[in-house]
Amino acid sequence: MRRYSLLSHLKTVPGSTPDSVDAAALGSWIDVVLRLGEEAGRAAVTFNYVGRLLAYAPADADGGWPHRAVRDQIERLRSDELERGIKLGRYNMRGVHGKQIYEGGEQERALSLENAKNAERAAAWPRTSAMLATIAKSWEAEAQRQDVEAAQRKMRG
């Protein structure tokens, strides 16, 4: 129980500095955590929590997110649960946000575009690129929902 409490509160990717990630340190840390999760009979949830932590990774020198050391881990681990954790972490990182009463999905469209660009930059990492494209599509769908809600508010107002 304490292990998962600790994992859920981490916000710094092991081996990371403000502008880089030590690939060997990150890979070693992930392997230890996943082994402990497996020993505890909690492999799937461990992958998810590791993914949520990886959502906090810095950007790469190529300007894209996530750092290539994280991209390499996504490709190596090939885990849907890890990727689900990353997606959830990225979504939750947005936090509380404000909108004008008739504002549609402009903010969400910007997030979609950012993730689509990251997917292009990560083309050499196919799982990572696909995950980022999925995130982009989710933000685009949210933008469309926000457009509809704004139009409905205008009609009532």
Side-chain angles (χ1 to χ4, degrees):
M1 183 71 164
R2 281 190 245 153
R3 291 176 191 166
Y4 294 106
S5 178
L6 175 64
L7 264 180
S8 68
H9 289 89
L10 290 175
K11 303 289 185 237
T12 302
V13 173
S16 69
T17 63
D19 59 349
S20 189
V21 176
D22 180 328
L26 176 60
S28 294
W29 181 85
I30 288 173
D31 290 344
V32 168
V33 169
L34 293 178
R35 181 180 50 78
L36 292 171
E38 180 71 32
E39 289 171 3
R42 304 279 189 211
V45 74
T46 303
F47 271 105
N48 190 281
Y49 275 95
V50 169
R52 291 183 201 193
L53 175 60
L54 293 179
Y56 288 91
D60 192 72
D62 69 7
W65 184 90
H67 189 277
R68 68 186 57 234
V70 173
R71 297 175 199 175
D72 289 341
Q73 292 302 314
I74 293 167
E75 301 302 317
R76 176 179 75 94
L77 296 169
R78 304 185 60 76
S79 167
D80 292 339
E81 201 56 44
L82 177 92
E83 293 164 28
R84 200 174 348 272
I86 293 171
K87 290 179 216 174
L88 179 63
R90 293 303 285 182
Y91 183 81
N92 288 339
M93 285 172 69
R94 183 177 189 199
V96 176
H97 57 281
K99 284 187 172 271
Q100 298 296 320
I101 190 164
Y102 300 124
E103 182 181 352
E106 292 85 9
Q107 294 178 34
E108 292 77 13
R109 250 181 222 90
L111 292 167
S112 176
L113 180 60
E114 176 186 336
N115 281 282
K117 286 179 181 178
N118 287 333
E120 289 175 16
R121 286 185 183 111
W125 294 266
R127 275 190 86 99
T128 304
S129 183
M131 177 192 71
L132 291 166
T134 299
I135 293 171
K137 288 177 187 169
S138 294
W139 282 120
E140 182 56 37
E142 180 62 24
Q144 291 173 6
R145 280 191 290 279
Q146 293 294 324
D147 289 342
V148 169
E149 288 180 17
Q152 290 172 339
R153 283 190 296 274
K154 282 181 185 177
M155 289 173 62
R156 286 183 284 224

